Amino acid sequence: MERKKKVRLSDIAERLNVSTVTISKALANKEGVSDDLRKQIKDIAEEMGYKVKKSTPAANGTITGNIGILIPSRFFSQNMSFYWYLFNFLSQELLNRNYYSIMELLSDEDEEKLSPPRMLNDKKVDGLIILGQVSNAYINTIRTHYDNFILLDSYTNIMGIDCVCSDDYYCSYMLTSYVISQGHKKLRFVGNFDATSSIKDRFMGFQKALFENRLPVAFNEIIADRDEKGGQIELKLPSKENMPSAFICNNDETAAMIIEALQKNGYKVPEDISVTGFDNYIIKHPNTIPLTTVYINPQDTANVAADLIIKKITGEPYIKGRHLVSGSLIIRDSVKKI
């Protein structure tokens, strides 16, 4: 006997050509829907066999039509602007789905004090996206009082936390393998292993490529570009005798800084030393040359994140856990074949 398909909010929304937010509000008897449309939605829902939940997940029992985006302030400086770039895609994708986004910066002090975001305390949002790495203690503080949140561009070993991440391990592995295929045997990774889960994964992908090619891997040869909290620090190049033929950087902004430091020391890129980035997001910089890098489409990331948080808010079924967004290698001028 064929099993009957479960009716979702999105099925009703498609039938009536309205948003899932409108459907959710109507079925939960919330404001913002006319009486005629509310009756029509309930009639169609009953006709389609939709089972109304006793309680539809929403922030503090209300529906605001807003989704909060919380970004640690250390990842939102002039030199770390990739998250502003990603935030724009995310806010537009949420708007396309009839949600407004509210951004709030999380200070180091508030994170250390485990202070929840004001937008949660003030009941301004239906759901929360934490964009960037925060401590496990802070994640536990949020989930103690709040269910409808996800992590974006980070993950944790805490069980039951939903997140969206780029496929950093595999993409870094492919990028490093390409550089090795161009004849490079002495490579150095640039990025603080302890700063974020994404940098850890990018280093592990780098490490796998070196292992497969029987090349030495030294953990203590990682060049830090930031402190353990993610704050930018001054880059320190290796001595001339320890200089690699290629630097594998954890992002494009760090790659631009490496190129600048190399040029100040009389090296040419890629003639003397090759450099790669990650993210395909290159800040405006007078000395930046076209970078070989990894492109993970921010629109894909925004789509997955928006879909995940809205399904949590509206109570629709979804795949729990870690959601990976794949990327592709972009070959440009910063790697020389030797």
Side-chain angles (χ1 to χ4, degrees), residues 199-260:
I199 295 178
K200 284 185 176 71
D201 286 349
R202 291 173 191 185
F203 173 75
M204 297 305 291
F206 165 84
Q207 189 178 52
K208 173 180 169 62
L210 265 63
F211 274 142
E212 285 189 352
N213 288 276
R214 304 294 189 268
L215 297 176
V217 178
F219 187 83
N220 60 1
E221 289 188 349
I222 296 176
I223 299 171
D225 65 334
R226 67 194 74 198
D227 58 31
E228 292 184 2
K229 291 185 176 180
Q232 205 78 36
I233 62 173
E234 183 180 356
L235 288 169
K236 294 182 179 180
L237 292 177
S239 60
K240 186 174 181 179
E241 57 271 20
N242 292 318
M243 192 66 70
S245 67
F247 287 99
I248 308 298
C249 301
N250 78 91
N251 63 41
D252 290 348
E253 294 163 326
T254 294
M257 294 170 62
I258 281 283
I259 291 172
E260 181 180 25

Side-chain angles (χ1 to χ4, degrees), residues 80-123:
M80 298 288 287
S81 52
F82 176 73
Y83 279 165
W84 173 249
Y85 174 69
L86 184 56
F87 168 77
N88 285 325
F89 280 91
L90 183 56
S91 59
Q92 183 59 55
E93 183 59 33
L94 290 171
L95 189 59
N96 292 343
R97 299 168 185 242
N98 298 299
Y99 278 92
Y100 292 98
S101 56
I102 299 178
M103 184 178 71
E104 182 175 331
L105 296 182
L106 174 66
S107 69
D108 291 344
E109 181 181 2
D110 282 344
E111 184 176 353
E112 290 172 3
K113 290 181 177 179
L114 305 180
S115 302
R118 286 187 60 184
M119 54 189 163
L120 292 189
N121 288 335
D122 295 342
K123 303 179 182 180

Side-chain angles (χ1 to χ4, degrees), residues 130 134 136 138-144 146-147 149-152 154-165 308 312 318-323:
I130 302 176
V134 295
N136 278 359
Y138 194 78
I139 293 171
N140 276 324
T141 296
I142 296 295
R143 76 167 182 169
T144 299
Y146 196 69
D147 293 325
F149 77 94
I150 66 171
L151 306 181
L152 178 55
S154 71
Y155 62 93
T156 176
N157 58 7
I158 301 173
M159 297 295 291
I161 303 297
D162 298 313
C163 59
V164 176
C165 306
L308 181 59
K312 292 195 72 165
Y318 69 94
I319 298 174
K320 300 180 184 297
R322 186 169 175 233
H323 298 248

